[in-house]
Amino acid sequence: MSLVWTVLLLFVAAAVAPAIVRLNPRAAGRILALLPAGIFVSLLARMPDARDHGVVERITWVPSLNIEFALHLDGLSLLFALLICGFGAVVTLYAGRYLAGNPHLGRFYLAFLLFMGAMLGLVVADDLIVLFVFWELTSISSFLLIGFDHEREASRKAALQALLVTGGGGLALLAGLLLLAGASGGTFSLSEIVALNGVVREHGAYPAILALVLLGAFTKSAQFPFHFWLPNAMAAPTPVSAYLHSATMVKAGIYLLARLDSTLGDTIAWSWSLSLAGGATMLLGAVVALRQTDLKRILAYSTLTALGTLTLLLGLSFEDSIKAAVVFLIVHSLYKGALFLAAGNVDHEAGSRDVLTLGGLRRALPLTAAAAVVAGLSMAGLPPLFGFIAKELTYKAKLGFEASSYLLPAVAVLVNAFTFAAAAVIVLRTFFGRTGKTPRTPHEAPLEMWLGTVLLAGAGLMFGVLPAIVSDTIVGPAVFAVLGRPMTIKLTLWYGPNLALLLSVLTVVLGLVTYLRWDSVRLTLSRLDGIHRFGAEAAYDRLMGRLVRTAAGVTRLLQTGDLRHYLIWAVGLLLALGAAALVRAGGIHLAVPAADYVEWALALATVGGAVGTALVRSRVAALLSLAVAGTGVALFFVVLGAPDLALTQFLIETLTLLLAVAVLTRLRTASQRGGESGRRLVHGTVAIMAGVLMTLLTLAVTSGPFESVVADFYARASVPSAFGRNIVNVILVDFRAMDTLGEITVLAVAAIGAIALLRFPLEQLPDREPYDSLVLRMTSRIVVPLLLLLAGFLLLRGHNAPGGGFIAGLLASGAVVLHVLVQGTASARRIVRVSPEWLLAAGLAIAVLSGLVAAFAGSPFLTGLWVSIDLPAGLAPLKLGTPLLFDTGVFLVVVGFVLSIFLVTERA
């Protein structure tokens, strides 16, 4: 199976997961777990290729920007992919029983598999843009998972917090990746960038690249001071916590740091940034974990400790530290995943996660207890577990760091001792001692729930007893991928007497003392709870509070509910920007074109209509003045030789006038408000300034030389390529048909939105009473059919003469509107027998169908195709093409749009 299909199949599974849950909710977990399990097996089969030379797949995506959908499987990405899919299979199976009966189980699996696919795509991405896309997908899908119980305020708040922190870091990461590509010679290929080695470090943009990339990685992996979102995310269901926050999402930043170690590492800035952030996170998590009594929060803060340790080890950036980081990454994923699932079993069966009320559960949950004991021993770093090997390696790495002979090992011992105590609290307080009083009578969890816990804990035991299983197959290739050079990997439980072993013994002693004094330690730490007022989370809360208050103030200022107010702000902003551009340009050169008396007369009429619109107080008079201005513009189009534009303008003015009159006849006259003169003065001033600015800009543009390359191309290609002499229509339905399709789609969406806003079916609209005028009724019976006939004529001739779908649609709409005004709504329904929504849908369908005809014929979508039909002697052949079909779709959409708006206006 190709890497591309491996990733895409998870997205396909996410799409069909809700349907599977509806069909068989009890077996959905078992069915869906087969896919990540199968991918896990296929990845194991690819292990030799990934270890030796890597697996690369490239698909052209955006060639103009040198962006490819490129995937690369090497030792590092294989390690993460195995964790993602292996844990994914376990947690998918687990969630099916843990969330059994939940009405939103289908939604859970959709978001969960979406996250799994995004995470897998992230670790195998070999293109910076592809990596970023998957990076952001993990943030979005994790937002859905953390906020799964959206009825609870805590879940909603935690989900939003995680999204804002990680999403904000993602934006910084995007900027860093773009700078990284620029510093690497313009390539977006991650493998090519890594192969450049020290080139990026010598680039002038290196400090900015490093800062932005670290910001993205630190927010995703919850490094201090961005650590606070991770414990709060424990509001998510246990399967989410076990998967996202112990094995996958929080490791995304660790993956990025490891991947870019050879590119950005080996500098003082890199080492100190990662060491300080990692050390602070490591110490903070270890201390605060001892303050907690909730199983999931203890595990969450101990996860911070692990993430800080991994970051620190990567910051040390030498062979032993990278080896220790890779081993500890595996160890932490195994024991933390097992303990999270065990905590979920306890909560599911006993109804509580509070270690102060739990106890003696080993008898009720024997399998869960056994797995938790093994995983806890690994977390504590005791032999013969894999965690003991990882702890020995981390001590060796920290002892080998030349810049810190005593401080770093001392901090490491303290942190590991606290972690030992936290593991003892989790295991001993929960499963041993006297039986506590729990809300429910506990018993062993179902098979699907304890199986994953046992498998993960068992893997930690097996890798500890037989470390050679992973040393050459997984650890070695991953270290090689990070360092870029091979190194000998030897993992064993016994390295002989050394200083690291002595530190391990000291850790155990301090850990036991801390656990025995845990109650007093916890109470002592509780006295420091007030310090949170000055922490990072409090700063985040203050920032969000100020953001909300600022948004409320801006809303009160701008969102007044007055359309004229909105127009003043919009036009005022455009005036400011335009004036600033003119000032910056140092003025403009104007060339006023010559004009004859006809053009001057039209200009005076247009300006007079505009001025009249602003001065008159009657609404009807204002509409008529506005119509005069619009008609003047249309006549300008006639004089300048643009009949299509002139026809469109005339029809738009007519329809606008009819619709406005229809509205005004149903509106009550508003009372005159105080200060009206002042408002009219402000509005008139802004309008005049906008008109003057646009006039100046237009004159400035036309003063320069006119480049006619585009116009000449359309003039030359219109007849031979598109068989049309009306260049305007040929552009609309052939050369730029995709733009037109977008425009009519906007029209359809706007019409449907207008209908939906009033929340009633159009068939239930009250009928408009006809005008009581015999002359108008008799005239409309003659004029309306003539207008419809003329609309059909303009539609058919639009490719070679003035006309087309837009103009014909406007004319036909005008005929129907006129009929409604004169004859009433009921009579119009007898003429137009389908609802406007059906006209909109049919028009869009016909327009798209005309493009698909070309696509099926092997041409690009919406390419005009023509056939020639021979006619009797003496007549020219008849040419028919898909542009006429497309124009018909435009016609129907325009008619549907106008009728929808008119009927909604009538109802309003």
Side-chain angles (χ1 to χ4, degrees):
M1 185 190 301
S2 69
L3 288 177
V4 174
W5 275 110
T6 298
V7 175
L8 291 181
L9 277 177
L10 287 170
F11 289 98
V12 173
V16 303
I20 294 176
V21 171
R22 283 194 297 270
L23 292 174
N24 194 340
R26 292 183 60 85
R30 296 192 292 270
I31 295 171
L32 292 172
L34 293 176
L35 178 59
I39 295 176
F40 180 83
V41 173
S42 69
L43 290 171
L44 290 176
R46 287 186 165 220
M47 189 177 292
D49 294 333
R51 180 181 58 212
D52 296 337
H53 50 78
V55 179
V56 180
E57 295 180 10
R58 300 182 184 277
I59 299 176
T60 301
W61 188 13
V62 189
S64 59
L65 298 178
N66 196 29
I67 299 174
E68 297 179 310
F69 190 84
L71 304 180
H72 181 209
L73 187 69
D74 63 357
L76 183 63
S77 54
L78 175 65
L79 167 60
F80 279 88
L82 289 173
L83 291 176
I84 291 164
C85 295
F87 276 81
V90 168
V91 178
T92 302
L93 182 66
Y94 180 93
R97 288 306 300 267
Y98 185 87
L99 297 173
N102 191 303
H104 305 301
L105 182 61
R107 173 164 59 84
F108 170 84
Y109 275 127
L110 186 152
F112 186 79
L113 292 169
L114 175 64
F115 174 84
M116 194 186 304
M119 193 66 201
L120 182 60
L122 189 158
V123 300
V124 298
D126 193 47
D127 185 277
L128 295 181
I129 302 302
V130 175
L131 183 147
F132 173 75
V133 170
F134 284 123
W135 183 280
E136 289 301 278
L137 275 177
T138 61
S139 294
I140 295 171
S141 52
S142 66
F143 166 78
L144 299 175
L145 289 169
I146 296 171
F148 177 70
D149 295 324
H150 56 271
E151 296 87 357
R152 297 172 56 234
E153 182 181 359
S155 296
R156 298 194 301 271
K157 182 179 178 181
L160 180 61
Q161 188 180 81
L163 179 65
L164 292 177
V165 174
T166 61
L171 294 177
L173 177 64
L174 175 61
L177 294 180
L178 294 176
L179 289 176
L180 178 60
S184 304
T187 179
F188 286 95
S189 174
L190 193 54
S191 56
E192 292 178 11
I193 291 173
V194 172
L196 293 175
N197 204 357
V199 171
V200 176
R201 291 193 290 269
E202 298 171 359
H203 196 275
Y206 172 75
I209 295 172
L210 179 63
L212 293 168
V213 169
L214 290 185
L215 186 58
F218 285 176
T219 53
K220 185 72 91 174
S221 288
Q223 297 299 296
F224 179 85
F226 309 105
H227 62 282
F228 54 88
W229 70 263
L230 177 58
N232 293 334
M234 292 304 110
T238 297
V240 176
S241 303
Y243 190 63
L244 273 67
H245 307 130
S246 65
T248 54
M249 177 180 171
V250 290
K251 301 290 176 60
I254 303 300
Y255 166 79
L256 185 65
L257 295 176
R259 177 62 73 190
L260 296 178
D261 179 82
S262 60
T263 302
L264 302 179
D266 200 22
T267 64
I268 295 177
W270 171 273
S271 296
W272 279 101
S273 297
L274 269 66
S275 299
L276 290 176
T281 307
M282 178 177 71
L283 185 59
L284 176 69
V287 172
V288 181
L290 295 177
R291 167 70 181 87
Q292 310 303 315
T293 60
D294 183 281
L295 285 174
K296 285 179 63 174
R297 292 190 69 83
I298 297 174
L299 292 170
Y301 279 104
S302 65
T303 298
L304 288 179
T305 302
L307 294 173
T309 302
L310 289 169
T311 302
L312 186 145
L313 289 172
L314 291 174
L316 302 184
S317 197
F318 65 102
E319 289 186 356
D320 285 345
S321 70
I322 300 300
K323 180 174 70 172
V326 171
V327 173
F328 186 67
L329 175 73
I330 302 172
V331 167
H332 174 259
S333 299
L334 292 174
Y335 76 66
K336 191 57 64 68
L339 289 174
F340 261 117
L341 296 182
N345 290 351
V346 170
D347 187 24
H348 189 270
E349 302 304 327
S352 174
R353 297 195 305 260
D354 190 346
V355 294
L356 298 180
T357 62
L358 297 172
L361 293 180
R362 69 184 184 280
R363 289 179 289 272
L365 289 80
L367 296 174
T368 299
V373 168
V374 174
L377 291 173
S378 187
M379 178 177 173
L382 295 177
L385 277 302
F386 203 29
F388 175 75
I389 298 176
K391 186 176 66 174
E392 293 285 291
L393 292 176
T394 58
Y395 276 147
K396 287 184 178 180
K398 293 168 184 176
L399 288 168
F401 185 52
E402 298 177 356
S404 177
S405 301
Y406 303 104
L407 178 60
L408 188 56
V411 172
V413 169
L414 181 64
V415 167
N416 285 332
F418 287 172
T419 302
F420 180 101
V425 169
I426 293 170
V427 175
L428 299 180
R429 289 273 182 155
T430 303
F431 297 101
F432 295 89
R434 290 183 300 177
T435 302
K437 295 181 179 181
T438 56
R440 291 195 291 267
T441 302
H443 55 80
E444 186 58 81
L447 170 66
E448 293 90 340
M449 294 177 63
W450 62 255
L451 180 61
T453 310
V454 171
L455 288 176
L456 296 176
L461 177 60
M462 181 177 64
F463 294 160
V465 176
L466 301 172
I469 296 176
V470 294
S471 60
D472 295 328
T473 56
I474 297 177
V475 177
V479 173
F480 169 72
V482 176
L483 295 175
R485 60 184 183 275
M487 65 175 292
T488 302
I489 303 295
K490 181 183 178 182
L491 300 180
T492 179
L493 272 173
W494 179 251
Y495 289 96
N498 52 39
L499 185 55
L501 180 61
L502 178 61
L503 294 180
S504 293
V505 174
L506 181 60
T507 298
V508 172
V509 174
L510 289 176
L512 283 173
V513 172
T514 304
Y515 169 70
L516 294 175
R517 303 281 300 171
W518 177 64
D519 289 319
S520 59
V521 170
R522 178 173 53 82
L523 293 175
T524 301
L525 291 175
S526 67
R527 300 192 185 102
L528 302 177
D529 288 348
I531 202 172
H532 291 307
R533 297 197 307 271
F534 309 100
E537 185 173 7
Y540 166 86
D541 291 335
R542 287 193 293 270
L543 177 63
M544 292 303 299
R546 288 171 184 168
L547 179 63
V548 171
R549 289 192 294 272
T550 302
V554 172
T555 301
R556 286 193 299 271
L557 178 65
L558 300 180
Q559 299 294 324
T560 61
D562 191 337
L563 180 60
R564 293 175 297 181
H565 194 183
Y566 300 155
L567 290 175
I568 288 293
W569 278 108
V571 175
L573 178 61
L574 292 177
L575 283 173
L577 294 176
L582 292 178
V583 172
R584 185 176 180 182
I588 57 176
H589 173 69
L590 300 178
V592 180
D596 56 24
Y597 68 92
V598 176
E599 292 172 340
W600 278 111
L602 290 176
L604 289 175
T606 303
V607 172
V611 173
T613 303
L615 294 180
V616 299
R617 294 181 178 275
S618 168
R619 287 170 173 165
V620 175
L623 283 173
L624 293 175
S625 298
L626 188 62
V628 169
T631 303
V633 173
L635 290 173
F636 260 116
F637 291 144
V638 174
V639 172
L640 298 175
D644 285 273
L645 295 178
L647 277 173
T648 304
Q649 181 73 18
F650 276 126
L651 292 171
I652 287 292
E653 290 297 329
T654 304
L655 277 175
T656 302
L657 184 61
L658 289 174
L659 290 173
V661 169
V663 172
L664 289 179
T665 58
R666 294 197 171 193
L667 286 179
R668 291 192 296 268
T669 303
S671 59
Q672 193 77 6
R673 293 181 297 178
E676 187 68 25
S677 299
R679 277 190 292 270
R680 291 167 68 87
L681 178 62
V682 172
H683 297 166
T685 302
V686 172
I688 291 172
M689 291 174 62
V692 170
L693 178 63
M694 293 307 300
T695 302
L696 292 176
L697 293 176
T698 302
L699 291 175
V701 170
T702 56
S703 298
F706 177 71
E707 182 58 63
S708 61
V709 174
V710 176
D712 292 341
F713 165 77
Y714 286 127
R716 289 193 311 269
S718 180
V719 173
S721 298
F723 305 103
R725 297 182 183 87
N726 183 2
I727 299 176
V728 173
N729 186 260
V730 167
I731 292 173
L732 291 176
V733 302
D734 195 307
F735 292 120
R736 302 294 297 273
M738 184 64 77
D739 292 351
T740 307
L741 179 62
E743 292 168 3
I744 63 175
T745 302
V746 170
L747 287 179
V749 171
I752 294 171
I755 296 170
L757 283 175
L758 293 182
R759 298 180 182 277
F760 61 86
L762 289 175
E763 291 76 7
Q764 297 179 11
L765 286 171
D767 287 343
R768 181 187 181 95
E769 294 298 327
Y771 285 107
D772 189 15
S773 172
L774 179 62
V775 174
L776 285 177
R777 287 201 300 272
M778 297 306 296
T779 303
S780 68
R781 291 182 180 180
I782 300 173
V783 172
V784 169
L786 290 177
L787 290 178
L788 292 175
L789 183 63
L790 179 59
F793 173 71
L794 291 175
L795 172 63
L796 293 175
R797 75 192 292 263
H799 210 60
N800 290 287
F806 275 112
I807 294 174
L810 290 172
L811 192 60
S813 301
V816 177
V817 169
L818 176 62
H819 185 82
V820 171
L821 290 175
V822 176
Q823 302 290 343
T825 308
S827 178
R829 287 191 187 137
R830 289 194 294 270
I831 296 177
V832 184
R833 296 183 178 274
V834 296
S835 65
E837 300 102 309
W838 283 104
L839 289 176
L840 294 169
L844 284 178
I846 291 172
V848 172
L849 177 63
S850 68
L852 293 177
V853 171
F856 289 137
S859 301
F861 180 65
L862 283 176
T863 301
L865 299 181
W866 294 84
V867 295
S868 181
I869 301 175
D870 294 331
L871 297 178
L875 297 176
L878 176 64
K879 293 187 178 296
L880 297 177
T882 55
L884 177 59
L885 190 63
F886 183 83
D887 232 359
T888 303
V890 173
F891 171 83
L892 293 175
V893 170
V894 171
V895 173
F897 171 80
V898 174
L899 291 182
S900 298
I901 299 300
F902 182 70
L903 291 176
V904 169
T905 302
E906 283 286 278
R907 175 65 175 84

